[in-house]
Short mmCIF file of all heavy atoms in Angstrom, two decimals:
data_model
loop_
_atom_site.label_atom_id
_atom_site.label_comp_id
_atom_site.label_asym_id
_atom_site.label_seq_id
_atom_site.Cartn_x
_atom_site.Cartn_y
_atom_site.Cartn_z
N TYR B 1 -48.68 156.42 166.07
CA TYR B 1 -48.44 155.44 165.00
C TYR B 1 -48.61 156.17 163.62
O TYR B 1 -49.79 156.55 163.28
CB TYR B 1 -49.24 154.30 165.13
CG TYR B 1 -49.14 153.56 166.34
CD1 TYR B 1 -50.21 153.32 167.17
CD2 TYR B 1 -47.90 152.91 166.71
CE1 TYR B 1 -50.28 152.68 168.40
CE2 TYR B 1 -47.93 152.22 167.96
CZ TYR B 1 -49.08 152.12 168.75
OH TYR B 1 -48.96 151.54 170.04
N PRO B 2 -47.50 156.33 162.76
CA PRO B 2 -47.72 156.98 161.49
C PRO B 2 -48.76 156.29 160.55
O PRO B 2 -49.38 156.98 159.80
CB PRO B 2 -46.39 156.83 160.86
CG PRO B 2 -45.41 156.80 162.00
CD PRO B 2 -46.08 156.01 163.09
N ASP B 3 -48.91 154.95 160.67
CA ASP B 3 -49.98 154.38 159.80
C ASP B 3 -51.41 154.67 160.15
O ASP B 3 -52.33 154.35 159.47
CB ASP B 3 -49.68 152.83 159.83
CG ASP B 3 -49.87 152.15 161.21
OD1 ASP B 3 -49.84 152.84 162.18
OD2 ASP B 3 -49.89 150.91 161.22
N LEU B 4 -51.63 155.42 161.29
CA LEU B 4 -53.08 155.92 161.61
C LEU B 4 -53.36 157.24 161.00
O LEU B 4 -54.47 157.73 161.07
CB LEU B 4 -53.23 156.04 163.12
CG LEU B 4 -52.99 154.75 163.97
CD1 LEU B 4 -53.17 155.06 165.51
CD2 LEU B 4 -53.98 153.59 163.54
N MET B 5 -52.36 157.85 160.32
CA MET B 5 -52.61 159.15 159.54
C MET B 5 -53.21 158.73 158.20
O MET B 5 -52.46 158.28 157.31
CB MET B 5 -51.28 159.90 159.39
CG MET B 5 -51.49 161.16 158.69
SD MET B 5 -52.48 162.50 159.50
CE MET B 5 -51.14 163.20 160.54
N THR B 6 -54.54 158.90 158.04
CA THR B 6 -55.24 158.74 156.83
C THR B 6 -54.92 159.83 155.82
O THR B 6 -54.54 160.94 156.25
CB THR B 6 -56.62 158.52 156.98
OG1 THR B 6 -57.19 159.82 157.48
CG2 THR B 6 -56.98 157.30 157.97
N GLU B 7 -55.07 159.49 154.64
CA GLU B 7 -54.99 160.51 153.57
C GLU B 7 -55.91 161.73 153.66
O GLU B 7 -55.64 162.93 153.57
CB GLU B 7 -55.09 159.99 152.07
CG GLU B 7 -55.01 160.91 150.95
CD GLU B 7 -53.69 161.53 150.79
OE1 GLU B 7 -52.64 161.05 151.32
OE2 GLU B 7 -53.54 162.65 150.19
N ALA B 8 -57.11 161.34 154.14
CA ALA B 8 -58.24 162.37 154.35
C ALA B 8 -57.79 163.20 155.45
O ALA B 8 -57.97 164.52 155.42
CB ALA B 8 -59.55 161.65 154.56
N TYR B 9 -57.27 162.75 156.59
CA TYR B 9 -56.92 163.56 157.68
C TYR B 9 -55.69 164.36 157.41
O TYR B 9 -55.65 165.57 157.92
CB TYR B 9 -56.74 162.58 158.99
CG TYR B 9 -56.90 163.37 160.30
CD1 TYR B 9 -58.21 163.74 160.58
CD2 TYR B 9 -55.92 163.93 161.07
CE1 TYR B 9 -58.49 164.48 161.79
CE2 TYR B 9 -56.26 164.71 162.21
CZ TYR B 9 -57.44 164.88 162.54
OH TYR B 9 -57.71 165.69 163.67
N ARG B 10 -54.83 163.83 156.67
CA ARG B 10 -53.60 164.64 156.15
C ARG B 10 -54.00 165.81 155.37
O ARG B 10 -53.55 166.92 155.65
CB ARG B 10 -52.79 163.60 155.35
CG ARG B 10 -51.43 164.26 154.90
CD ARG B 10 -50.71 163.45 153.73
NE ARG B 10 -51.44 163.48 152.57
CZ ARG B 10 -51.17 164.45 151.70
NH1 ARG B 10 -50.56 165.45 152.05
NH2 ARG B 10 -51.81 164.38 150.45
N ARG B 11 -54.99 165.59 154.44
CA ARG B 11 -55.50 166.77 153.64
C ARG B 11 -56.17 167.74 154.60
O ARG B 11 -56.02 168.96 154.33
CB ARG B 11 -56.41 166.26 152.52
CG ARG B 11 -55.71 165.77 151.40
CD ARG B 11 -56.62 165.79 150.21
NE ARG B 11 -57.88 165.07 150.38
CZ ARG B 11 -58.04 163.76 150.30
NH1 ARG B 11 -57.04 162.98 149.75
NH2 ARG B 11 -59.20 163.16 150.50
N TYR B 12 -56.96 167.23 155.56
CA TYR B 12 -57.62 168.16 156.48
C TYR B 12 -56.55 169.15 157.23
O TYR B 12 -56.67 170.24 157.30
CB TYR B 12 -58.51 167.37 157.44
CG TYR B 12 -58.87 168.14 158.70
CD1 TYR B 12 -59.86 169.13 158.67
CD2 TYR B 12 -58.35 167.71 159.99
CE1 TYR B 12 -60.10 169.84 159.79
CE2 TYR B 12 -58.77 168.43 161.13
CZ TYR B 12 -59.59 169.43 161.06
OH TYR B 12 -59.90 170.09 162.13
N LEU B 13 -55.57 168.35 157.74
CA LEU B 13 -54.53 169.18 158.47
C LEU B 13 -53.87 170.21 157.59
O LEU B 13 -53.60 171.34 157.95
CB LEU B 13 -53.53 168.25 159.16
CG LEU B 13 -54.00 167.46 160.40
CD1 LEU B 13 -52.80 166.47 160.82
CD2 LEU B 13 -54.40 168.35 161.53
N LEU B 14 -53.54 169.72 156.34
CA LEU B 14 -52.84 170.68 155.42
C LEU B 14 -53.73 171.81 155.14
O LEU B 14 -53.31 173.04 155.16
CB LEU B 14 -52.67 169.92 154.06
CG LEU B 14 -52.25 170.85 152.89
CD1 LEU B 14 -50.90 171.54 153.22
CD2 LEU B 14 -52.29 170.09 151.65
N ASN B 15 -55.04 171.61 154.77
CA ASN B 15 -55.97 172.71 154.57
C ASN B 15 -56.12 173.78 155.61
O ASN B 15 -56.13 174.94 155.52
CB ASN B 15 -57.33 172.20 154.08
CG ASN B 15 -57.27 171.39 152.71
OD1 ASN B 15 -56.40 171.78 151.96
ND2 ASN B 15 -58.24 170.63 152.53
N GLN B 16 -56.21 173.12 156.82
CA GLN B 16 -56.33 174.06 158.13
C GLN B 16 -55.00 174.81 158.28
O GLN B 16 -55.06 175.96 158.60
CB GLN B 16 -56.63 173.06 159.34
CG GLN B 16 -57.92 172.49 159.43
CD GLN B 16 -59.14 173.42 159.15
OE1 GLN B 16 -59.23 174.40 159.93
NE2 GLN B 16 -59.99 173.26 158.23
N PHE B 17 -53.84 174.15 158.06
CA PHE B 17 -52.57 174.75 158.21
C PHE B 17 -52.39 176.00 157.22
O PHE B 17 -52.07 177.02 157.58
CB PHE B 17 -51.41 173.75 158.06
CG PHE B 17 -50.07 174.26 158.41
CD1 PHE B 17 -49.75 174.16 159.76
CD2 PHE B 17 -49.31 174.69 157.49
CE1 PHE B 17 -48.47 174.66 160.09
CE2 PHE B 17 -47.99 175.26 157.89
CZ PHE B 17 -47.58 175.26 159.24
N ARG B 18 -52.78 175.68 155.92
CA ARG B 18 -52.73 176.75 154.93
C ARG B 18 -53.64 177.88 155.32
O ARG B 18 -53.27 179.05 155.07
CB ARG B 18 -53.00 176.23 153.67
CG ARG B 18 -52.08 175.23 152.98
CD ARG B 18 -50.86 176.06 152.35
NE ARG B 18 -50.03 175.16 151.68
CZ ARG B 18 -48.77 175.49 151.10
NH1 ARG B 18 -48.33 176.69 151.23
NH2 ARG B 18 -48.04 174.71 150.54
N LYS B 19 -54.84 177.59 155.88
CA LYS B 19 -55.76 178.54 156.12
C LYS B 19 -55.26 179.47 157.30
O LYS B 19 -55.38 180.67 157.31
CB LYS B 19 -57.11 177.93 156.63
CG LYS B 19 -58.37 178.64 156.32
CD LYS B 19 -59.61 177.95 156.66
CE LYS B 19 -60.02 176.79 155.67
NZ LYS B 19 -61.18 176.14 155.99
N GLN B 20 -54.62 178.81 158.21
CA GLN B 20 -54.15 179.59 159.41
C GLN B 20 -52.85 180.40 159.15
O GLN B 20 -52.59 181.50 159.49
CB GLN B 20 -53.80 178.47 160.50
CG GLN B 20 -53.30 179.10 161.89
CD GLN B 20 -54.26 179.16 162.98
OE1 GLN B 20 -55.42 178.54 162.87
NE2 GLN B 20 -53.93 179.81 163.95
N TYR B 21 -51.80 179.70 158.50
CA TYR B 21 -50.55 180.28 158.28
C TYR B 21 -50.15 180.67 156.87
O TYR B 21 -49.11 181.18 156.65
CB TYR B 21 -49.52 179.30 158.94
CG TYR B 21 -49.61 179.03 160.38
CD1 TYR B 21 -50.03 177.80 160.83
CD2 TYR B 21 -49.52 180.09 161.30
CE1 TYR B 21 -50.22 177.52 162.20
CE2 TYR B 21 -49.62 179.78 162.69
CZ TYR B 21 -50.03 178.56 163.08
OH TYR B 21 -50.29 178.32 164.38
N SER B 22 -50.91 180.39 155.90
CA SER B 22 -50.78 180.67 154.59
C SER B 22 -49.47 180.01 153.86
O SER B 22 -49.67 178.97 153.18
CB SER B 22 -50.84 182.15 154.26
OG SER B 22 -50.41 182.46 152.94
N PHE B 23 -48.35 180.60 154.14
CA PHE B 23 -47.15 180.16 153.52
C PHE B 23 -47.28 180.14 151.93
O PHE B 23 -46.89 179.20 151.25
CB PHE B 23 -46.73 178.68 153.97
CG PHE B 23 -46.00 178.69 155.40
CD1 PHE B 23 -46.60 178.47 156.55
CD2 PHE B 23 -44.51 178.87 155.33
CE1 PHE B 23 -46.05 178.36 157.65
CE2 PHE B 23 -43.96 178.87 156.64
CZ PHE B 23 -44.63 178.71 157.73
N ALA B 24 -47.89 181.26 151.39
CA ALA B 24 -48.12 181.32 150.01
C ALA B 24 -46.84 181.23 149.23
O ALA B 24 -45.84 181.76 149.52
CB ALA B 24 -48.78 182.68 149.66
#
């Protein structure tokens, strides 16, 4: 369910993603 994706968890996934794959 998309409504279960909180803003805090979204930011966590983003930060982890940038850390792992950069995409600078």
